[in-house]
Amino acid sequence: MIILASKSPRRQELLKLITKDFVIKSANVDETIPEGFSPAQAVEYLSSIKAAPFANGMDTVIGADTVVAFQGEILGKPENDDDAFRMLKLLSGKEHSVFTGVTVMKPDSRKTFSVETKVKFFELTDDEIIKYINTGEPADKAGAYGIQGYGSLLVEKIDGDYFNVVGLPVSQLNRILL
């Protein structure tokens, strides 16, 4: 059996591109990132601690975590609309990185990896940012945007795996699950 250790509806939909035969479980874990971790190290660490509670030696467990990083700062989910505005203003007209870490625990092996995708936003006006925040979409998204929704209107270009930005690098994950 495959266990997806994530409540994210986006990850659930993306995993269905690989298999429909999985169950969803999640545990409350302390997501405090150790001091000095790079964004890649942070998502790999978080994916690992999310998967660990379900490792039982019989099932395949997949844990994942995504962060947005700009100039070394990890941008998590915004605390409120003001925080979302701050993040989106910071990213306006600039390139940032989206990192997703994935841990796959199989009965006989364990693999943790991360994928980086570069995303460049258009130059955004304050009104555009406020209009986007008013959609409600930024509230539960790393970096205060979702590329698969209205946030797609903010993006000028991407370099890398689109699905990684959504929350799960499915092509690389598929190769590990084979």
Side-chain angles (χ1 to χ4, degrees):
M1 172 169 57
I2 295 176
I3 298 168
L4 175 60
S6 175
K7 290 184 273 193
S8 165
R10 293 166 297 283
R11 285 196 187 99
Q12 294 167 27
E13 284 301 311
L14 291 175
L15 186 55
K16 287 178 185 175
L17 295 172
I18 299 171
T19 181
K20 302 212 183 334
D21 188 23
F22 65 92
V23 297
I24 298 151
K25 295 185 179 182
S26 67
N28 289 328
V29 296
D30 178 4
E31 294 190 36
T32 304
I33 300 167
E35 192 71 32
F37 271 29
S38 70
Q41 290 170 315
V43 293
E44 288 178 13
Y45 169 77
L46 292 169
S47 72
S48 179
I49 65 169
K50 289 178 177 184
F54 307 105
N56 58 21
M58 298 178 296
D59 298 316
T60 296
V61 182
I62 302 166
D65 195 79
T66 302
V67 299
V68 170
F70 179 70
Q71 296 180 342
E73 179 185 357
I74 294 175
L75 304 177
K77 295 177 183 176
E79 295 175 14
N80 52 41
D81 287 352
D82 289 340
D83 195 30
F85 186 90
R86 177 191 70 82
M87 289 184 196
L88 294 167
K89 190 74 170 172
L90 189 67
L91 301 176
S92 175
K94 298 179 185 82
E95 184 178 82
H96 60 276
S97 293
V98 179
F99 292 87
T100 297
V102 180
T103 295
V104 178
M105 296 180 173
K106 293 181 175 182
D108 58 349
S109 66
R110 174 190 169 126
K111 170 92 172 150
T112 298
F113 67 95
S114 58
V115 174
E116 177 183 9
T117 302
K118 302 275 190 182
V119 180
K120 184 173 189 286
F121 273 12
F122 286 106
E123 192 71 42
L124 305 173
T125 66
D126 289 359
D127 286 344
E128 286 176 299
I129 293 171
I130 291 166
K131 182 178 177 184
Y132 178 60
I133 291 170
N134 287 339
T135 68
E137 194 174 86
D140 69 339
K141 309 282 190 305
Y145 77 96
I147 197 168
Q148 72 281 4
Y150 296 111
S152 63
L153 304 176
L154 312 177
V155 176
E156 182 177 342
K157 67 178 182 171
I158 71 167
D159 180 13
D161 184 343
Y162 167 82
F163 293 111
N164 183 58
V165 182
V166 179
L168 196 65
V170 291
S171 58
Q172 287 197 336
L173 175 58
N174 183 56
R175 293 187 175 282
I176 291 167
L177 292 176
L178 293 176

